[in-house]
Amino acid sequence: MRRWVPALLVSLVLAACGGAGTPVRTAPSARQALTGSPEALEFESASTRLELFRELARLSEHEAGRAAQALVLFPITQNGELVAAPGFEARMDLLQSPETGGAMQLAFDGRAGEPWQDDRRDSLQGLSEREAAELVARTLLTHWQIQPAGPVQVERVPGAPYAVAYVDGILRINPAFLYLAAASGPASTAVGVQ
């Protein structure tokens, strides 16, 4: 018993001084990351952003095809109904624009949403938000087999409770999702190796 007393006193002194029991900062959940500031994600490690992207991918597959009566991460209109878009795999590189998406017309003039950022960001694989949004838009619209008759308006919607929504011919992208999508793919892997 006498041996325990000094050890107990030392641990109590350390705890009182903040040496032990210091709270550990935890990464946000994927849904929390979407509703927060997109710029805050730049301060998260690449591995944390990649894990958040993987979480969104798993959720997209889980929600796929459901009626969007409850909040879904990727709502789209299909046959006049709001449903969760087809899911995508976590290994899918959303910044790798598909060959077939090149003919699609996209408009970024921001008639209702915030303007897209044009400065290049390391955490977006060296792209600007606008460039990343264009690649993600083409990739997802092609993956979802959406063939618009005219130009698709692409709006920036920071803090939205969803990642990407396609409703009434307008594609709304949460810029936080771009930072998570950029954590996946060959370009981010190459940067991580250097």
Side-chain angles (χ1 to χ4, degrees):
M1 178 106 174
R2 294 186 138 207
R3 291 183 204 172
W4 291 62
V5 172
L8 180 62
L9 287 173
V10 169
S11 64
L12 288 173
V13 168
L14 285 174
C17 295
T22 305
V24 177
R25 185 184 154 314
T26 58
S29 72
R31 289 188 189 271
Q32 289 171 328
L34 291 174
T35 57
S37 165
E39 293 80 15
L41 289 171
E42 290 186 275
F43 297 107
E44 296 291 344
S45 68
S47 60
T48 297
R49 289 193 312 267
L50 179 58
E51 189 51 43
L52 291 171
F53 176 75
R54 289 177 178 160
E55 182 183 342
L56 287 174
R58 284 190 298 271
L59 289 169
S60 78
E61 290 181 318
H62 177 72
E63 294 176 347
R66 289 185 179 180
Q69 295 166 341
L71 184 63
V72 295
L73 293 168
F74 299 90
I76 62 171
T77 49
Q78 190 174 56
N79 301 323
E81 293 184 33
L82 192 61
V83 297
F88 58 89
E89 294 181 356
R91 66 176 181 246
M92 185 174 182
D93 185 359
L94 298 181
L95 298 183
Q96 181 66 41
S97 183
E99 304 268 333
T100 57
M104 195 177 302
Q105 294 180 341
L106 303 175
F108 291 88
D109 57 13
R111 59 178 194 181
E114 290 188 11
W116 288 98
Q117 306 286 327
D118 284 325
D119 53 323
R120 296 183 180 276
R121 314 297 273 201
D122 288 339
S123 52
L124 290 174
Q125 297 185 17
L127 300 170
S128 69
E129 269 189 10
R130 190 208 168 285
E131 292 166 328
E134 181 174 354
L135 293 172
V136 167
R138 291 183 189 286
T139 303
L140 285 179
L141 290 172
T142 300
H143 177 69
W144 295 339
Q145 299 180 354
I146 294 174
Q147 300 170 347
V152 174
Q153 178 68 39
V154 182
E155 293 184 354
R156 183 179 192 269
V157 287
Y162 54 83
V164 180
Y166 181 73
V167 180
D168 299 329
I170 299 173
L171 188 71
R172 294 172 177 91
I173 300 177
N174 186 328
F177 179 66
L178 300 176
Y179 288 92
L180 303 180
S184 179
S188 62
T189 305
V191 169
V193 172
Q194 295 175 355

